[in-house]
Amino acid sequence: MRGERMAVAPGGWSCLFDLCLRWRGVLCALLTAAATLPAAAQEVRTAVLRIEYPSLLPLSRIDLPVPDLGLAGAQLATQDNTTTGGFLGQSYDTVALSVPPEDAQEAFRGGLDRGIRLFVVMARTPELLALADAAPPDALLFNATDGDRALRSEECRANLLHVAPSDAMRADALTQFLVWKKWTDWALIEGSNPADRALAEAYRASAAKFGAEIVAERVFEDTGGSRVSDSGHVLVQRQLPVFTQDLPAHDVVLAADATDYFAGYLPYNLWSPAPVAGSAGLRPLTWAPTHESWGATQMQSRFEKLAGRPMREEDYQTWLALRVIGEAVTRTGSADPGKIRAYALGDDFALAAFKGQPVSFRPWNGQLRQPILLATGRMTVSVSPQEGFLHQVTSLDTLGLDRPESACTAFDQ
Amino acid sequence: MFRAALLAAAPVAATALPAAAGNVFVTNEKGNTVSVFDSATWKVIAEFPAGNRPRGITIAPDGSELYVCASDDDLVRVFDPRTFEEMHTLPSGPDPELFVLHPSGNPLYIANEDDNLVTVVDTETHAVLAEVPVGVEPEGMAISPDARVVINTSETTNMAHFIDAETYEIVHNVLVDQRPRFAAFTEDGTKLYVSAEIGGTVSVIDMTAEPPAIVRKIGFEVPGVLPEWLQPVGIAITSDAARVFVALGPANRVAVIDGATDEVVDYLLVGQRVWQMAFTPDQSHLITTNGNSNDVSIIDVAALDVIRSVQVGQQPWGVAVAPD
């Protein structure tokens, strides 16, 4: 990956060769479109800022990193917005930046210097908060990938909207399905890294919320090392049954492995025949290449034609963030971040997102409401919220932090 | 299972050749078939293979040709409505879902969801006459009764595009609510109704205004049904424009709208996931496809009453009725 990483020039605004090529493709398309359409009255300029964290390879080679992760989704959204904008005299220009965490601020400033005020950010909590706090008052940021609960509660920021679902939304989506199945006795296996612990906490809260019982908890220690070794399955097949041997009776094993180092090994390797859910087995996802309902097939084929690979969650989420911007621009006729924010948080905002019902924002913490897919990697099994989980505002608010549960006050005025 | 139905149906088709008038054709999206039944007796006559994932269906004004969007085959299959034999296919572009015929029977205007295009195909020469770039995910198609304007709705752009039927240029756009699915004109051409599945509304567009503009948005409300399930899809309008029927998808209801006031006057409970609709030739009955209950509901239009259901194939989607 490192060799393919976008290099940061002194201004912070150069990028990886092949990504530049891809991106230039979009810009060329924009220029061509501009030549055949009436002069655009408005140009909507956005940046996708992707922070690259050092990471090990994933457990499954199906999940191997792709250099345009998230950026391809942004490219598709820019094309979609451009097509619509063509009928309204609006044009869209999106630049992409991928930098290591230490260069985040410099890259952000570079965007600001170019006059960009709308940013879709793929980053973790520390960098997200630092960027939101460093942003000028007329800038608006979209969190495309971070599920941290605190960002939707005590650490919320008025200039940071969350398109990525919180860990709590994902956990609740899965829990509703397991409760619907009456699989309410869980064994919880969590990783030892802070992110794994936070995810396990989301599952504990969800179990308490919907009446599931965690009958046992176990920590799978991260001892480091490489993820996969030749014939490594031999050892896995012997170790995991022993690790799970004396669990009390359970319907399902919940895996909380945000760092992706053990959950993928659990299915079929437990002592019991119980199904695995959470970080492996049945997973709560915003998007899966298996999703076909509500017109999703068209989205999949458009994306695959563009990117030459299946669409991942990160691509869906950057697509969604830029579509939120596009929808607000379409309806308000303005590219002003303040107006976009007000419209997105208002009662009139609704966006079709291939999930069977409109997505909208929770005005108390800036979280996008959205249905969550439950998928195995081969099939989409179900979509939450599940039937029968009711809410006085919208059934989507049965997922994640509801207004009384959020300590966020930044959105009050 | 449908093989047995075919075997049973074949002798009927071969020996009796029922008059096609009033015959109802229903595409079964999952069954890959078209079910045929008689609107006089409501008896199923046949079920024949119709390609992969048949959805949109329409019939020539003279009843001579039956057109089916075979979505997964990326083409339109054309059948003889009397023998149920496939006559030929038409090029459609990828993933055709809905189309509309020129009132004369030629050409056919097809929405291509994957390519942001409306493809215009000559039904006699089978040639592609034009490809019109439209918004993202084109879906609903309609043509004005005077055949001057073709309407396409684009599901992600959320517009009704007005296409000049002669020049194939877009001459006007109207922004509607989320995911516009279907468009239908009144027979006098003065009003255009556009359903927005995710927006949950039907926009009423005044065609006499210059330029045409939305004069009203019809919303829906059914006690005990979650608002997000009220998803307007198919629209059918009586020729006197007195009644507008709107299929509400997963709400399992058809809304009845007074065409003069554009107020909802009733909701009729039909089968599950009601999708598209068509009238019998005398407009005494309206047939609705119910995708999740594998049947169609028959509505008595004068009484506003659901009088019966007819079992069809797997996941019925579209419906067309042979003219008199």
Side-chain angles (χ1 to χ4, degrees), chain A residues 61-86:
Chain A
R61 67 185 310 281
I62 283 181
D63 301 326
L64 283 173
V66 289
D68 58 352
L69 185 70
L71 306 185
Q75 192 178 358
L76 183 65
T78 305
Q79 287 185 0
D80 287 355
N81 285 340
T82 299
T83 302
T84 301

Side-chain angles (χ1 to χ4, degrees), chain B residues 181-269:
Chain B
R181 275 283 189 169
F182 199 84
F185 281 96
T186 52
E187 203 170 280
D188 65 3
T190 58
K191 284 205 280 189
L192 172 70
Y193 292 78
V194 178
S195 64
E197 180 189 21
I198 295 295
T201 59
V202 169
S203 291
V204 186
I205 295 170
D206 179 1
M207 294 298 294
T208 63
E210 190 52 53
I214 296 175
V215 287
R216 190 187 173 98
K217 276 186 189 171
I218 304 168
F220 303 94
E221 203 177 344
V222 179
V225 176
L226 291 174
E228 57 266 29
W229 288 6
L230 295 161
Q231 301 184 348
V233 189
I235 302 171
I237 308 171
T238 54
S239 50
D240 61 1
R243 291 273 180 252
V244 180
F245 295 89
V246 177
L248 294 178
N252 307 337
R253 279 162 180 84
V254 170
V256 185
I257 292 161
D258 182 321
T261 62
D262 287 325
E263 299 275 354
V264 180
V265 292
D266 205 355
Y267 294 95
L268 307 175
L269 187 62

Side-chain angles (χ1 to χ4, degrees), chain A residues 224 228 230 248 257:
Chain A
V228 180
D230 204 355
D257 177 19

Side-chain angles (χ1 to χ4, degrees), chain A residues 53-194:
Chain A
Y53 299 93
S55 71
L56 298 172
L57 287 179
L59 287 194
S60 169
R61 67 185 310 281
I62 283 181
D63 301 326
L64 283 173
V66 289
D68 58 352
L69 185 70
L71 306 185
Q75 192 178 358
L76 183 65
T78 305
Q79 287 185 0
D80 287 355
N81 285 340
T82 299
T83 302
T84 301
F87 299 111
L88 296 167
Q90 292 153 341
S91 69
Y92 292 82
D93 180 12
T94 307
V95 293
L97 276 171
S98 194
V99 296
E102 59 273 21
D103 295 330
Q105 288 288 351
E106 189 188 351
F108 185 53
R109 278 194 302 275
L112 291 169
D113 289 346
R114 292 182 165 204
I116 295 171
R117 291 295 180 271
L118 295 163
F119 292 85
V120 175
V121 187
M122 303 170 68
R124 295 177 187 164
T125 305
E127 286 74 28
L128 265 176
L129 286 179
L131 294 175
D133 291 343
D138 61 342
L140 182 61
L141 280 65
F142 291 81
N143 164 23
T145 50
D146 190 357
D148 188 350
R149 182 186 194 280
L151 290 176
R152 283 83 174 169
S153 191
E154 63 277 4
E155 289 293 346
C156 71
R157 297 291 188 272
N159 61 354
L160 180 61
L161 304 184
H162 309 282
V163 167
S166 63
D167 290 348
M169 285 169 70
R170 292 178 191 261
D172 288 350
L174 181 58
T175 302
Q176 286 188 4
F177 178 77
L178 297 178
V179 167
W180 186 85
K181 294 288 291 180
K182 299 188 167 43
W183 293 346
T184 49
D185 287 351
W186 301 352
L188 176 64
I189 302 181
E190 65 184 290
S192 56
N193 300 300

